[in-house]
Amino acid sequence: MKVFAINGSPRPDNNTGRALGVMRAELEKNGIETEVFSLGRENIHGCTGCRGCFSAADNFCVITGDSLNSAAEKARAADGLVFAVPTYYAGIAGTMKCFLDRLFYSSSRFFRGKAGASLTVARRAGGVDTIHQLNNYMNLAEMVIAPSHYWASVFGMSPGEIEKDGEGIQTIRRNAGALAWLLKIIDAAKETHPFPAIEERVRTNFIR
Ligand SMILES: Cc1cc2nc3c(=O)[nH]c(=O)nc-3n(C[C@H](O)[C@H](O)[C@H](O)COP(=O)(O)O)c2cc1C
């Protein structure tokens, strides 16, 4: 089983990368393979709402020239997904937001029934808002979100500072343990208890 993790920090080796390292170590301890994709300082265009992905071959995004589609291919093939991002202005850091809008608009239907987890690093406040925003993507994609005993928001600013946040580190480690457990449960039940079949969406816009 494989988890594809996206590190949305422009500084991949800083606190977000280190927090993700805690999650990876626990996943691998539980026999789950991991691959990390770092957005770094790449220029990722935001979603233009053109809906080109709805009719494109394999539903890939029609904006090319950045790494979105190659990452989407890996995300679709993985059993589980992890989203790690620094908190900027009490929310998802901008490059990652652009990336996630396009990833989920083009690939949501490939993520149904997959397990996922999210984590963030904040200096002081806003981490829970970021976790909520990350989980919104997974909820609407019909993914199953791994729990922990607290929100997976770790405190840190200068490189390595998160290591002093013992409770935050423990929360991420438990989150990874729950993700590994979920992946194994889903895999064991895939023949006997498949995820409910996809349905034609009833779309009721708020226009009457
Ligand atoms: C543009 C910007 C906005 C930020 N906004 C917040 C914030 O709203 N709340 C907070 O606690 N920290 C905020 N921070 C601090 C970062 O979340 C923190 O430094 C974190 O370690 C960054 O992750 P990194 O080490 O992976 O780069 C902000 C940092 C930047 C650069």
Side-chain angles (χ1 to χ4, degrees):
M1 268 169 290
K2 185 165 180 178
V3 161
F4 184 61
I6 294 153
N7 178 357
S9 175
R11 304 182 296 176
D13 300 324
N14 257 45
N15 287 308
T16 307
R18 290 171 197 228
L20 188 52
V22 172
M23 182 162 276
R24 283 187 83 182
E26 188 67 15
L27 286 169
E28 287 179 3
K29 202 174 111 191
N30 281 281
I32 310 290
E33 192 190 336
T34 60
E35 180 181 346
V36 174
F37 169 76
S38 288
L39 293 186
R41 296 182 183 185
E42 196 182 337
N43 207 355
I44 307 277
H45 204 291
C47 180
T48 61
C50 72
R51 299 184 177 209
C53 56
F54 290 8
S55 47
D58 297 321
N59 297 116
F60 282 115
C61 181
V62 297
I63 302 171
T64 52
D66 61 27
S67 59
L68 188 276
N69 283 331
S70 60
E73 206 165 358
K74 290 185 174 189
R76 291 175 187 193
D79 302 288
L81 302 174
V82 170
F83 301 99
V85 69
T87 289
Y88 283 2
Y89 290 95
I92 298 171
T95 307
M96 181 72 150
K97 178 79 170 82
C98 290
F99 180 90
L100 291 175
D101 286 350
R102 285 171 58 210
L103 177 70
F104 277 83
Y105 217 58
S106 60
S107 299
S108 274
R109 72 187 188 88
F110 301 96
F111 297 162
R112 296 172 58 256
K114 284 190 200 294
S118 48
L119 69 87
T120 191
V121 175
R123 184 189 71 82
R124 185 164 179 81
V128 172
D129 304 69
T130 307
I131 293 292
H132 186 188
Q133 290 168 19
L134 290 168
N135 288 352
N136 283 341
Y137 288 94
M138 291 195 270
N139 263 319
L140 291 200
E142 298 185 87
M143 290 178 62
V144 188
I145 301 170
S148 190
H149 60 192
Y150 212 80
W151 295 287
S153 174
V154 197
F155 288 107
M157 178 80 181
S158 24
E161 216 166 39
I162 56 152
E163 271 116 52
K164 295 184 201 152
D165 180 5
E167 185 171 353
I169 298 288
Q170 185 191 33
T171 302
I172 288 182
R173 196 173 39 70
R174 281 195 65 77
N175 201 190
L179 178 57
W181 173 82
L182 258 179
L183 286 163
K184 289 173 188 172
I185 297 273
I186 291 168
D187 186 62
K190 64 179 184 248
E191 304 298 338
T192 51
H193 295 79
F195 197 74
I198 198 162
E199 282 184 34
E200 186 70 37
R201 181 95 70 92
V202 177
R203 283 193 176 272
T204 315
N205 297 344
F206 290 96
I207 301 165
R208 298 283 180 274

mmCIF file with all atom_site columns, all heavy atoms in Angstrom, residues 109-127:
data_model
loop_
_atom_site.group_PDB
_atom_site.id
_atom_site.type_symbol
_atom_site.label_atom_id
_atom_site.label_alt_id
_atom_site.label_comp_id
_atom_site.label_asym_id
_atom_site.label_entity_id
_atom_site.label_seq_id
_atom_site.pdbx_PDB_ins_code
_atom_site.Cartn_x
_atom_site.Cartn_y
_atom_site.Cartn_z
_atom_site.occupancy
_atom_site.B_iso_or_equiv
_atom_site.pdbx_formal_charge
_atom_site.auth_seq_id
_atom_site.auth_comp_id
_atom_site.auth_asym_id
_atom_site.auth_atom_id
_atom_site.pdbx_PDB_model_num
ATOM 1   N N   . ARG A 1 109 ? -13.159 12.385 -8.492  1.00 0.00 ? 109 ARG A N   1
ATOM 2   C CA  . ARG A 1 109 ? -13.860 11.114 -8.647  1.00 0.00 ? 109 ARG A CA  1
ATOM 3   C C   . ARG A 1 109 ? -12.923 9.906  -8.573  1.00 0.00 ? 109 ARG A C   1
ATOM 4   O O   . ARG A 1 109 ? -13.361 8.788  -8.336  1.00 0.00 ? 109 ARG A O   1
ATOM 5   C CB  . ARG A 1 109 ? -14.689 11.105 -9.939  1.00 0.00 ? 109 ARG A CB  1
ATOM 6   C CG  . ARG A 1 109 ? -13.913 11.022 -11.216 1.00 0.00 ? 109 ARG A CG  1
ATOM 7   C CD  . ARG A 1 109 ? -14.847 11.203 -12.411 1.00 0.00 ? 109 ARG A CD  1
ATOM 8   N NE  . ARG A 1 109 ? -14.180 10.956 -13.666 1.00 0.00 ? 109 ARG A NE  1
ATOM 9   C CZ  . ARG A 1 109 ? -14.097 9.752  -14.233 1.00 0.00 ? 109 ARG A CZ  1
ATOM 10  N NH1 . ARG A 1 109 ? -14.649 8.712  -13.666 1.00 0.00 ? 109 ARG A NH1 1
ATOM 11  N NH2 . ARG A 1 109 ? -13.451 9.609  -15.374 1.00 0.00 ? 109 ARG A NH2 1
ATOM 12  N N   . PHE A 1 110 ? -11.603 10.173 -8.727  1.00 0.00 ? 110 PHE A N   1
ATOM 13  C CA  . PHE A 1 110 ? -10.619 9.085  -8.590  1.00 0.00 ? 110 PHE A CA  1
ATOM 14  C C   . PHE A 1 110 ? -10.231 8.872  -7.124  1.00 0.00 ? 110 PHE A C   1
ATOM 15  O O   . PHE A 1 110 ? -9.528  7.928  -6.806  1.00 0.00 ? 110 PHE A O   1
ATOM 16  C CB  . PHE A 1 110 ? -9.368  9.395  -9.420  1.00 0.00 ? 110 PHE A CB  1
ATOM 17  C CG  . PHE A 1 110 ? -9.647  9.569  -10.888 1.00 0.00 ? 110 PHE A CG  1
ATOM 18  C CD1 . PHE A 1 110 ? -9.840  10.831 -11.438 1.00 0.00 ? 110 PHE A CD1 1
ATOM 19  C CD2 . PHE A 1 110 ? -9.755  8.456  -11.723 1.00 0.00 ? 110 PHE A CD2 1
ATOM 20  C CE1 . PHE A 1 110 ? -10.108 10.998 -12.793 1.00 0.00 ? 110 PHE A CE1 1
ATOM 21  C CE2 . PHE A 1 110 ? -10.026 8.611  -13.079 1.00 0.00 ? 110 PHE A CE2 1
ATOM 22  C CZ  . PHE A 1 110 ? -10.208 9.886  -13.611 1.00 0.00 ? 110 PHE A CZ  1
ATOM 23  N N   . PHE A 1 111 ? -10.636 9.786  -6.263  1.00 0.00 ? 111 PHE A N   1
ATOM 24  C CA  . PHE A 1 111 ? -10.223 9.711  -4.850  1.00 0.00 ? 111 PHE A CA  1
ATOM 25  C C   . PHE A 1 111 ? -11.298 9.100  -3.955  1.00 0.00 ? 111 PHE A C   1
ATOM 26  O O   . PHE A 1 111 ? -11.092 8.928  -2.764  1.00 0.00 ? 111 PHE A O   1
ATOM 27  C CB  . PHE A 1 111 ? -9.891  11.116 -4.319  1.00 0.00 ? 111 PHE A CB  1
ATOM 28  C CG  . PHE A 1 111 ? -8.734  11.799 -5.009  1.00 0.00 ? 111 PHE A CG  1
ATOM 29  C CD1 . PHE A 1 111 ? -8.560  13.179 -4.897  1.00 0.00 ? 111 PHE A CD1 1
ATOM 30  C CD2 . PHE A 1 111 ? -7.818  11.084 -5.761  1.00 0.00 ? 111 PHE A CD2 1
ATOM 31  C CE1 . PHE A 1 111 ? -7.503  13.824 -5.514  1.00 0.00 ? 111 PHE A CE1 1
ATOM 32  C CE2 . PHE A 1 111 ? -6.747  11.726 -6.398  1.00 0.00 ? 111 PHE A CE2 1
ATOM 33  C CZ  . PHE A 1 111 ? -6.597  13.100 -6.270  1.00 0.00 ? 111 PHE A CZ  1
ATOM 34  N N   . ARG A 1 112 ? -12.469 8.787  -4.513  1.00 0.00 ? 112 ARG A N   1
ATOM 35  C CA  . ARG A 1 112 ? -13.570 8.265  -3.696  1.00 0.00 ? 112 ARG A CA  1
ATOM 36  C C   . ARG A 1 112 ? -13.138 7.013  -2.932  1.00 0.00 ? 112 ARG A C   1
ATOM 37  O O   . ARG A 1 112 ? -12.591 6.091  -3.513  1.00 0.00 ? 112 ARG A O   1
ATOM 38  C CB  . ARG A 1 112 ? -14.772 7.923  -4.583  1.00 0.00 ? 112 ARG A CB  1
ATOM 39  C CG  . ARG A 1 112 ? -15.374 9.113  -5.282  1.00 0.00 ? 112 ARG A CG  1
ATOM 40  C CD  . ARG A 1 112 ? -16.431 8.735  -6.305  1.00 0.00 ? 112 ARG A CD  1
ATOM 41  N NE  . ARG A 1 112 ? -17.500 7.971  -5.693  1.00 0.00 ? 112 ARG A NE  1
ATOM 42  C CZ  . ARG A 1 112 ? -17.655 6.669  -5.823  1.00 0.00 ? 112 ARG A CZ  1
ATOM 43  N NH1 . ARG A 1 112 ? -16.851 5.959  -6.566  1.00 0.00 ? 112 ARG A NH1 1
ATOM 44  N NH2 . ARG A 1 112 ? -18.637 6.063  -5.207  1.00 0.00 ? 112 ARG A NH2 1
ATOM 45  N N   . GLY A 1 113 ? -13.392 7.022  -1.618  1.00 0.00 ? 113 GLY A N   1
ATOM 46  C CA  . GLY A 1 113 ? -13.091 5.857  -0.792  1.00 0.00 ? 113 GLY A CA  1
ATOM 47  C C   . GLY A 1 113 ? -11.635 5.722  -0.388  1.00 0.00 ? 113 GLY A C   1
ATOM 48  O O   . GLY A 1 113 ? -11.286 4.809  0.351   1.00 0.00 ? 113 GLY A O   1
ATOM 49  N N   . LYS A 1 114 ? -10.775 6.629  -0.851  1.00 0.00 ? 114 LYS A N   1
ATOM 50  C CA  . LYS A 1 114 ? -9.375  6.581  -0.411  1.00 0.00 ? 114 LYS A CA  1
ATOM 51  C C   . LYS A 1 114 ? -9.289  7.190  0.994   1.00 0.00 ? 114 LYS A C   1
ATOM 52  O O   . LYS A 1 114 ? -10.114 8.032  1.362   1.00 0.00 ? 114 LYS A O   1
ATOM 53  C CB  . LYS A 1 114 ? -8.474  7.431  -1.322  1.00 0.00 ? 114 LYS A CB  1
ATOM 54  C CG  . LYS A 1 114 ? -8.141  6.811  -2.679  1.00 0.00 ? 114 LYS A CG  1
ATOM 55  C CD  . LYS A 1 114 ? -7.051  7.650  -3.345  1.00 0.00 ? 114 LYS A CD  1
ATOM 56  C CE  . LYS A 1 114 ? -6.949  7.453  -4.844  1.00 0.00 ? 114 LYS A CE  1
ATOM 57  N NZ  . LYS A 1 114 ? -6.514  6.137  -5.268  1.00 0.00 ? 114 LYS A NZ  1
ATOM 58  N N   . ALA A 1 115 ? -8.254  6.792  1.729   1.00 0.00 ? 115 ALA A N   1
ATOM 59  C CA  . ALA A 1 115 ? -8.023  7.369  3.053   1.00 0.00 ? 115 ALA A CA  1
ATOM 60  C C   . ALA A 1 115 ? -7.084  8.557  2.936   1.00 0.00 ? 115 ALA A C   1
ATOM 61  O O   . ALA A 1 115 ? -6.244  8.608  2.028   1.00 0.00 ? 115 ALA A O   1
ATOM 62  C CB  . ALA A 1 115 ? -7.427  6.312  3.978   1.00 0.00 ? 115 ALA A CB  1
ATOM 63  N N   . GLY A 1 116 ? -7.229  9.530  3.837   1.00 0.00 ? 116 GLY A N   1
ATOM 64  C CA  . GLY A 1 116 ? -6.358  10.705 3.778   1.00 0.00 ? 116 GLY A CA  1
ATOM 65  C C   . GLY A 1 116 ? -6.163  11.342 5.132   1.00 0.00 ? 116 GLY A C   1
ATOM 66  O O   . GLY A 1 116 ? -6.889  11.060 6.088   1.00 0.00 ? 116 GLY A O   1
ATOM 67  N N   . ALA A 1 117 ? -5.149  12.194 5.196   1.00 0.00 ? 117 ALA A N   1
ATOM 68  C CA  . ALA A 1 117 ? -4.882  12.949 6.424   1.00 0.00 ? 117 ALA A CA  1
ATOM 69  C C   . ALA A 1 117 ? -4.274  14.289 6.041   1.00 0.00 ? 117 ALA A C   1
ATOM 70  O O   . ALA A 1 117 ? -3.706  14.433 4.950   1.00 0.00 ? 117 ALA A O   1
ATOM 71  C CB  . ALA A 1 117 ? -3.923  12.179 7.327   1.00 0.00 ? 117 ALA A CB  1
ATOM 72  N N   . SER A 1 118 ? -4.441  15.252 6.948   1.00 0.00 ? 118 SER A N   1
ATOM 73  C CA  . SER A 1 118 ? -3.866  16.570 6.672   1.00 0.00 ? 118 SER A CA  1
ATOM 74  C C   . SER A 1 118 ? -3.106  17.051 7.900   1.00 0.00 ? 118 SER A C   1
ATOM 75  O O   . SER A 1 118 ? -3.430  16.658 9.029   1.00 0.00 ? 118 SER A O   1
ATOM 76  C CB  . SER A 1 118 ? -4.972  17.561 6.309   1.00 0.00 ? 118 SER A CB  1
ATOM 77  O OG  . SER A 1 118 ? -6.023  17.490 7.232   1.00 0.00 ? 118 SER A OG  1
ATOM 78  N N   . LEU A 1 119 ? -2.093  17.876 7.667   1.00 0.00 ? 119 LEU A N   1
ATOM 79  C CA  . LEU A 1 119 ? -1.382  18.487 8.796   1.00 0.00 ? 119 LEU A CA  1
ATOM 80  C C   . LEU A 1 119 ? -0.915  19.874 8.413   1.00 0.00 ? 119 LEU A C   1
ATOM 81  O O   . LEU A 1 119 ? -0.762  20.194 7.223   1.00 0.00 ? 119 LEU A O   1
ATOM 82  C CB  . LEU A 1 119 ? -0.197  17.623 9.238   1.00 0.00 ? 119 LEU A CB  1
ATOM 83  C CG  . LEU A 1 119 ? 1.024   17.493 8.327   1.00 0.00 ? 119 LEU A CG  1
ATOM 84  C CD1 . LEU A 1 119 ? 2.035   18.612 8.562   1.00 0.00 ? 119 LEU A CD1 1
ATOM 85  C CD2 . LEU A 1 119 ? 1.690   16.150 8.558   1.00 0.00 ? 119 LEU A CD2 1
ATOM 86  N N   . THR A 1 120 ? -0.721  20.701 9.448   1.00 0.00 ? 120 THR A N   1
ATOM 87  C CA  . THR A 1 120 ? -0.226  22.042 9.180   1.00 0.00 ? 120 THR A CA  1
ATOM 88  C C   . THR A 1 120 ? 0.756   22.470 10.253  1.00 0.00 ? 120 THR A C   1
ATOM 89  O O   . THR A 1 120 ? 0.802   21.888 11.339  1.00 0.00 ? 120 THR A O   1
ATOM 90  C CB  . THR A 1 120 ? -1.395  23.054 9.088   1.00 0.00 ? 120 THR A CB  1
ATOM 91  O OG1 . THR A 1 120 ? -0.889  24.298 8.580   1.00 0.00 ? 120 THR A OG1 1
ATOM 92  C CG2 . THR A 1 120 ? -2.046  23.317 10.438  1.00 0.00 ? 120 THR A CG2 1
ATOM 93  N N   . VAL A 1 121 ? 1.553   23.499 9.917   1.00 0.00 ? 121 VAL A N   1
ATOM 94  C CA  . VAL A 1 121 ? 2.453   24.120 10.883  1.00 0.00 ? 121 VAL A CA  1
ATOM 95  C C   . VAL A 1 121 ? 2.098   25.595 10.952  1.00 0.00 ? 121 VAL A C   1
ATOM 96  O O   . VAL A 1 121 ? 1.922   26.247 9.913   1.00 0.00 ? 121 VAL A O   1
ATOM 97  C CB  . VAL A 1 121 ? 3.939   23.964 10.470  1.00 0.00 ? 121 VAL A CB  1
ATOM 98  C CG1 . VAL A 1 121 ? 4.840   24.729 11.435  1.00 0.00 ? 121 VAL A CG1 1
ATOM 99  C CG2 . VAL A 1 121 ? 4.334   22.496 10.427  1.00 0.00 ? 121 VAL A CG2 1
ATOM 100 N N   . ALA A 1 122 ? 1.950   26.103 12.172  1.00 0.00 ? 122 ALA A N   1
ATOM 101 C CA  . ALA A 1 122 ? 1.667   27.524 12.365  1.00 0.00 ? 122 ALA A CA  1
ATOM 102 C C   . ALA A 1 122 ? 2.591   28.073 13.445  1.00 0.00 ? 122 ALA A C   1
ATOM 103 O O   . ALA A 1 122 ? 3.001   27.326 14.339  1.00 0.00 ? 122 ALA A O   1
ATOM 104 C CB  . ALA A 1 122 ? 0.207   27.718 12.786  1.00 0.00 ? 122 ALA A CB  1
ATOM 105 N N   . ARG A 1 123 ? 2.938   29.340 13.339  1.00 0.00 ? 123 ARG A N   1
ATOM 106 C CA  . ARG A 1 123 ? 3.754   29.941 14.397  1.00 0.00 ? 123 ARG A CA  1
ATOM 107 C C   . ARG A 1 123 ? 2.940   30.101 15.670  1.00 0.00 ? 123 ARG A C   1
ATOM 108 O O   . ARG A 1 123 ? 3.402   29.846 16.762  1.00 0.00 ? 123 ARG A O   1
ATOM 109 C CB  . ARG A 1 123 ? 4.272   31.317 13.952  1.00 0.00 ? 123 ARG A CB  1
ATOM 110 C CG  . ARG A 1 123 ? 5.214   31.977 14.943  1.00 0.00 ? 123 ARG A CG  1
ATOM 111 C CD  . ARG A 1 123 ? 5.509   33.412 14.566  1.00 0.00 ? 123 ARG A CD  1
ATOM 112 N NE  . ARG A 1 123 ? 4.369   34.284 14.765  1.00 0.00 ? 123 ARG A NE  1
ATOM 113 C CZ  . ARG A 1 123 ? 4.017   34.817 15.930  1.00 0.00 ? 123 ARG A CZ  1
ATOM 114 N NH1 . ARG A 1 123 ? 4.724   34.570 17.007  1.00 0.00 ? 123 ARG A NH1 1
ATOM 115 N NH2 . ARG A 1 123 ? 2.957   35.608 16.028  1.00 0.00 ? 123 ARG A NH2 1
ATOM 116 N N   . ARG A 1 124 ? 1.634   30.502 15.490  1.00 0.00 ? 124 ARG A N   1
ATOM 117 C CA  . ARG A 1 124 ? 0.854   30.808 16.685  1.00 0.00 ? 124 ARG A CA  1
ATOM 118 C C   . ARG A 1 124 ? -0.638  30.479 16.567  1.00 0.00 ? 124 ARG A C   1
ATOM 119 O O   . ARG A 1 124 ? -1.211  29.860 17.450  1.00 0.00 ? 124 ARG A O   1
ATOM 120 C CB  . ARG A 1 124 ? 1.026   32.298 17.013  1.00 0.00 ? 124 ARG A CB  1
ATOM 121 C CG  . ARG A 1 124 ? 0.364   32.722 18.284  1.00 0.00 ? 124 ARG A CG  1
ATOM 122 C CD  . ARG A 1 124 ? 0.882   34.075 18.739  1.00 0.00 ? 124 ARG A CD  1
ATOM 123 N NE  . ARG A 1 124 ? 0.205   34.490 19.963  1.00 0.00 ? 124 ARG A NE  1
ATOM 124 C CZ  . ARG A 1 124 ? 0.524   34.068 21.174  1.00 0.00 ? 124 ARG A CZ  1
ATOM 125 N NH1 . ARG A 1 124 ? 1.521   33.214 21.334  1.00 0.00 ? 124 ARG A NH1 1
ATOM 126 N NH2 . ARG A 1 124 ? -0.133  34.487 22.235  1.00 0.00 ? 124 ARG A NH2 1
ATOM 127 N N   . ALA A 1 125 ? -1.280  30.908 15.486  1.00 0.00 ? 125 ALA A N   1
ATOM 128 C CA  . ALA A 1 125 ? -2.738  30.725 15.412  1.00 0.00 ? 125 ALA A CA  1
ATOM 129 C C   . ALA A 1 125 ? -3.188  30.472 13.978  1.00 0.00 ? 125 ALA A C   1
ATOM 130 O O   . ALA A 1 125 ? -2.493  30.809 13.021  1.00 0.00 ? 125 ALA A O   1
ATOM 131 C CB  . ALA A 1 125 ? -3.449  31.967 15.956  1.00 0.00 ? 125 ALA A CB  1
ATOM 132 N N   . GLY A 1 126 ? -4.365  29.867 13.853  1.00 0.00 ? 126 GLY A N   1
ATOM 133 C CA  . GLY A 1 126 ? -4.951  29.650 12.525  1.00 0.00 ? 126 GLY A CA  1
ATOM 134 C C   . GLY A 1 126 ? -4.808  28.232 12.008  1.00 0.00 ? 126 GLY A C   1
ATOM 135 O O   . GLY A 1 126 ? -5.351  27.892 10.957  1.00 0.00 ? 126 GLY A O   1
ATOM 136 N N   . GLY A 1 127 ? -4.081  27.390 12.775  1.00 0.00 ? 127 GLY A N   1
ATOM 137 C CA  . GLY A 1 127 ? -3.837  26.034 12.295  1.00 0.00 ? 127 GLY A CA  1
ATOM 138 C C   . GLY A 1 127 ? -5.114  25.209 12.136  1.00 0.00 ? 127 GLY A C   1
ATOM 139 O O   . GLY A 1 127 ? -5.264  24.460 11.171  1.00 0.00 ? 127 GLY A O   1
#
